[in-house]
Amino acid sequence: QVQLQESGGGLVQAGDSLRLSCAASGRTFSNNGMGWFRQAAGKDREFVAAIDWKGGTTRYAESVKGRFTISRDNTGNTKLYLHMNSLKPEDTAVYYCAGARTPVATETTSFYTGWGRGTQVTVSS
């Protein structure tokens, strides 16, 4: 069974940093693009960042560009990371990692087939 497990969320203050991790089990995503999405309370899930299968191409939502960095480690089971700097209260959400059906970095939610259960990030002002 394919599983993606996020970790690293927590309660921080505005301006702090966090690193989210996502570990895959049951299969490797080394040939697939991967991404991070988030969902704030009462809002739709939104794209945050994506990375291609090699880790050479990344895409970011405008709201996090320059503050967040996505990276991956394809050694063994794929691991995905999201380094979040200069956190803002509006970054508060449940963060999900996902694997795509394409090797490229994509913002398109429908291309993602594997989703984790999410990790809560709360940023206080």
Side-chain angles (χ1 to χ4, degrees):
Q1 182 180 0
V2 177
Q3 285 190 325
L4 292 171
Q5 180 65 59
E6 303 91 342
S7 62
L11 172 63
V12 297
Q13 293 186 330
D16 285 352
S17 299
L18 274 178
R19 187 185 79 160
L20 304 184
S21 300
C22 173
S25 62
R27 62 159 286 185
T28 176
F29 285 90
S30 59
N31 295 321
N32 300 79
M34 298 192 74
W36 287 97
F37 292 75
R38 67 186 181 186
Q39 187 167 19
K43 297 188 176 181
D44 292 334
R45 187 172 298 186
E46 65 174 2
F47 168 76
V48 175
I51 190 167
D52 74 341
W53 70 284
K54 287 184 179 179
T57 301
T58 56
R59 295 184 183 274
Y60 296 94
E62 283 299 321
S63 59
V64 306
K65 201 172 289 186
R67 299 188 298 122
F68 290 12
T69 302
I70 187 172
S71 62
R72 67 186 294 161
D73 178 357
N74 286 338
T75 305
N77 285 339
T78 303
K79 291 171 281 295
L80 183 70
Y81 304 101
L82 186 68
H83 301 257
M84 306 186 293
N85 297 321
S86 303
L87 282 161
K88 304 175 181 180
E90 50 264 44
D91 294 319
T92 296
V94 177
Y95 284 71
Y96 300 89
C97 69
R101 291 184 280 113
T102 172
V104 303
T106 178
E107 303 176 25
T108 306
T109 306
S110 61
F111 284 162
Y112 288 87
T113 60
W115 294 86
R117 292 187 176 183
T119 185
Q120 176 71 47
V121 172
T122 304
V123 185
S124 64
S125 58

